[in-house]
Structure formats: C-alpha cells, structure tokens
Amino acid sequence: MKTALKPFNTRQRHFKDGDVVRPADDLRPFTFADLLARGFVGDNKPEPKPSKGKAAG
C-alpha cells in the first residue's frame, strides 16, 4: 500500500495528498508503476523541514 504524494485524477476518482493508493485500484489511464516512477505515489510524505523564522517569545 502506498500513498498519493501529489494530487492526480483517474477516470474514476480524484486522488488527494495522503490518499491510499493500491495496485488493484482502477488507475486508468495510468499504471501503478508509472505513477510510482513519476513521483505521484510513494511510501510517505517527507517530513517538512523546520523553518528558519523567528523563535516564539
């Protein structure tokens, strides 16, 4: 099981960030391998980097 890293549309559904994507899902016109290779599907979103803004206080 992978998650959507970027939003994308298929003929049946709109996948948003964080949605679960399975190889068994109807992903036409794409394939699961194609979405994985193009970075639309992956394990998890990377952790956001800490900002270099002012410290609270």
Side-chain angles (χ1 to χ4, degrees):
M1 221 173 6
K2 303 285 186 184
T3 57
L5 302 177
K6 300 185 229 177
F8 63 94
N9 292 322
T10 66
R11 290 183 182 169
Q12 298 289 324
R13 183 174 167 199
H14 173 75
F15 287 88
K16 298 177 287 192
D17 292 347
D19 285 350
V20 175
V21 182
R22 297 177 186 90
D25 289 336
D26 184 7
L27 301 172
R28 286 180 288 168
F30 310 108
T31 64
F32 187 79
D34 181 41
L35 292 169
L36 190 60
R38 294 173 57 198
F40 284 91
V41 174
D43 289 322
N44 286 322
K45 286 191 119 179
E47 292 294 320
K49 293 181 181 178
S51 64
K52 294 182 180 180
K54 292 183 178 179

